[in-house]
């Protein structure tokens, strides 16, 4: 069974560690001798609450989340956070600034515009989102409630290499690079991440919120979109995504077994370097992102010939290297190399890239 698994470079939902899937399979129909699956348990049961608490405390420990910040397990994906962050946080001054580094940042900006005076601090659209603006290029107003940015741009393959310095709290979408490096939470009022890139199956959104910033939602905010209500109910104002929380717990245990966040961070750099070295040494492949903005999570490249890109993708599939096609809005190739992607998978792709170039 396991030898039939592909190298899955999908951007999300994406590959999960085999050990995690095997443990989930082991426990699928009878969790811990309870005679039932985690999927069948009351979310208020002692047994589920122990899974819930353990997952939350493991996450707090691994990311060193300070007590000022609450961890929430919500639904609606990262996309719902585009509205939720604005509806809860913009009331401080009525204003917020956004850095538009790609599709998801732009969607967040479009959503926030409904709720206040929202402006663009910088945009990378002029060069097709191939770079991250420098600190000196950020045009941030004095009296904003927050500055919003997207840490890793999953579609374009760019990643912030610095934390913006501004006189306001930061709000950050970390969907595609959460759990790959330490986070200085003091700077953030909210960090959020859809789980399906690097944490768990789709259906869970993890939010880290500084509690001082909850309780100020716009008056017409639905209760499910009010951080204060979510904090009050400890993510159980209604039924939480129980199965995904359990799976996140297994992923966190797997991270511990790998040696923790620092080992994961080191590995992500090494894995990305393997692929970027091939691109840099090649006369066929061109990276889509500018060098100093390249993402360690989503490696985007093209041959310059869409027909050849198609042959590259089809040939990869024949040898078990799948989902290396670029996002439908960009084309070309994209290899997403989240935590669960092995060195073996990355090396297989690197070898294939070299072979393909030789034959091209
Ligand atoms: C995938 C992704 C999203 C969208 O996530 P959903 O959970 O599908 O709403 C938003 N932002 C980033 C950075 C992403 O990678």
């Amino acid at each position: 069974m396991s030898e039939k698994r592909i190298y899955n470079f999908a951007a999300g939902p994406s590959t999960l560690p085999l050990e995690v899937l095997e443990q989930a399979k082991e426990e699928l129909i009878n969790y811990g001798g309870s005679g039932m699956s985690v999927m069948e348990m009351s979310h208020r049961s002692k047994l589920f609450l122990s899974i819930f608490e353990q997952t939350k405390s493991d996450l707090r420990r691994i990311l060193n989340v300070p007590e000022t910040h609450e961890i929430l397990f919500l639904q609606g994906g990262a996309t719902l956070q585009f509205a939720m962050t604005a509806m809860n946080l913009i009331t401080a001054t009525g204003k917020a600034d956004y850095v538009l580094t790609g599709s998801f940042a732009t969607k967040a900006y479009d959503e926030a515009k409904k709720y206040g005076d929202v402006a663009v601090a910088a945009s990378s659209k002029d060069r097709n989102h191939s770079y991250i603006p420098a600190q000196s290029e950020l045009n941030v107003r004095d009296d904003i409630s927050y500055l919003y940015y997207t840490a890793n741009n999953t579609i374009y393959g760019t990643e912030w290499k610095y934390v913006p310095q501004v006189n306001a709290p930061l709000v950050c979408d970390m969907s595609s690079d959460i759990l790959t490096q330490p986070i200085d939470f003091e700077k953030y009022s909210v960090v959020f991440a859809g789980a399906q890139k690097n944490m768990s199956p789709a259906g869970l959104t993890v939010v880290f919120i500084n509690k001082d910033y909850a309780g100020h939602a716009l008056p017409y905010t639905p209760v499910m979109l009010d951080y204060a209500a979510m904090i009050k109910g400890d993510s159980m104002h209604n039924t939480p995504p129980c199965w995904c929380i359990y799976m996140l717990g297994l992923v966190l245990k797997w991270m511990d077994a790998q040696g923790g966040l620092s080992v994961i961070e080191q590995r992500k750099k090494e894995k990305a370097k393997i692929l970027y070295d091939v691109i840099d040494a090649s006369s066929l492949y061109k990276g889509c992102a500018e060098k100093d903005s390249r993402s360690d999570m989503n490696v985007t490249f093209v041959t310059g010939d869409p027909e050849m890109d198609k042959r590259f993708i089809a040939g990869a599939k024949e040898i078990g290297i799948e989902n290396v096609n670029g996002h439908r809005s960009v084309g070309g190739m994209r290899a997403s190399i989240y935590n669960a992607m092995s060195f073996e998978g990355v090396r297989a792709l690197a070898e294939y890239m070299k072979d393909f170039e030789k034959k091209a």
Side-chain angles (χ1 to χ4, degrees):
M1 166 79 173
S2 59
E3 46 291 344
K4 279 207 207 112
R5 280 176 59 81
I6 56 163
Y7 295 125
N8 180 7
F9 289 90
S14 41
T15 191
L16 285 160
L18 183 59
E19 296 92 322
V20 165
L21 295 175
E22 277 172 346
Q23 189 174 346
K25 178 183 165 194
E26 191 70 26
E27 298 175 336
L28 184 68
I29 60 174
N30 188 348
Y31 176 80
S34 66
M36 58 184 162
S37 172
V38 173
M39 284 185 262
E40 301 170 302
M41 276 175 206
S42 164
H43 57 292
R44 311 258 180 221
S45 66
K46 245 192 187 154
L47 197 53
F48 182 74
L49 287 177
S50 72
I51 294 171
F52 181 91
E53 290 304 335
Q54 188 67 49
T55 302
K56 211 165 123 171
S57 74
D58 285 345
L59 190 54
R60 189 174 285 283
R61 172 178 51 78
I62 289 172
L63 282 178
N64 201 9
V65 183
E67 289 302 325
T68 45
H69 286 61
E70 187 57 77
I71 298 174
L72 298 174
F73 295 137
L74 307 181
Q75 301 187 56
T79 305
L80 193 56
Q81 291 305 307
F82 300 165
M84 194 163 174
T85 47
M87 295 181 93
N88 283 264
L89 305 174
I90 208 161
T91 50
T93 69
K95 296 182 183 177
D97 287 352
Y98 280 65
V99 187
L100 306 190
T101 51
S103 314
F104 292 121
T106 306
K107 283 181 179 164
Y109 166 72
D110 287 339
E111 194 76 344
K113 277 194 287 194
K114 299 171 190 169
Y115 306 109
D117 172 357
V118 173
V120 177
S123 166
S124 53
K125 197 162 184 234
D126 56 338
R127 300 205 296 275
N128 197 30
H129 297 306
S130 60
Y131 71 102
I132 300 292
Q135 171 75 44
S136 59
E137 293 171 297
L138 304 181
N139 192 359
V140 178
R141 295 177 290 176
D142 292 333
D143 52 348
I144 50 170
S145 305
Y146 59 88
L147 176 74
Y148 181 105
Y149 74 107
T150 309
N152 182 79
N153 298 282
T154 321
I155 293 175
Y156 295 92
T158 61
E159 186 174 20
W160 288 70
K161 307 289 177 188
Y162 70 98
V163 175
Q165 275 183 28
V166 290
N167 261 337
L170 301 170
V171 172
C172 190
D173 175 357
M174 295 195 189
S175 294
S176 50
D177 67 351
I178 190 87
L179 290 180
T180 68
Q181 61 201 0
I183 300 165
D184 185 359
F185 282 100
E186 271 179 33
K187 299 188 170 127
Y188 297 90
S189 50
V190 170
V191 167
F192 64 87
Q196 70 274 21
K197 311 284 161 64
N198 216 11
M199 301 184 118
S200 190
L204 168 67
T205 312
V206 179
V207 173
F208 306 87
I209 176 168
N210 182 324
K211 283 173 274 190
D212 291 345
Y213 293 91
H216 310 286
L218 291 163
Y220 48 81
T221 302
V223 66
M224 285 303 296
L225 297 184
D226 184 345
Y227 289 126
M230 298 301 108
I231 292 170
K232 183 158 175 272
D234 195 10
S235 302
M236 294 205 196
H237 180 83
N238 73 333
T239 316
C242 302
W243 174 257
C244 297
I245 294 167
Y246 157 76
M247 288 296 286
L248 171 58
L250 296 185
V251 167
L252 297 175
K253 294 276 182 250
W254 173 84
M255 279 186 70
D256 282 340
Q258 304 304 300
L261 193 62
S262 56
V263 171
I264 295 278
E265 183 181 19
Q266 185 56 32
R267 277 190 198 165
K268 84 157 174 172
K269 290 179 187 157
E270 289 170 13
K271 286 189 291 184
K273 184 170 187 304
I274 291 171
L275 297 181
Y276 286 124
D277 281 352
V278 174
I279 292 169
D280 290 344
S282 159
S283 50
L284 178 65
Y285 307 114
K286 276 191 303 295
C288 302
E290 294 177 16
K291 274 192 186 177
D292 55 2
S293 299
R294 293 197 294 208
S295 165
D296 289 336
M297 309 311 296
N298 311 95
V299 178
T300 51
F301 58 100
V302 295
T303 64
D305 171 0
E307 284 309 311
M308 191 178 283
D309 290 351
K310 272 192 203 153
R311 285 203 300 282
F312 179 97
I313 293 161
K317 190 166 168 143
E318 275 171 29
I319 57 166
I321 295 171
E322 295 201 28
N323 300 316
V324 289
N325 49 297
H327 187 267
R328 60 190 187 284
S329 66
V330 177
M333 277 76 74
R334 169 177 55 174
S336 297
I337 47 174
Y338 302 122
N339 293 347
M341 174 51 68
S342 61
F343 274 101
E344 192 191 332
V346 172
R347 286 197 197 99
L349 174 58
E351 284 314 306
Y352 171 69
M353 288 170 74
K354 288 188 238 171
D355 284 352
F356 184 86
E357 179 163 4
K358 261 184 230 152
K359 291 175 195 152

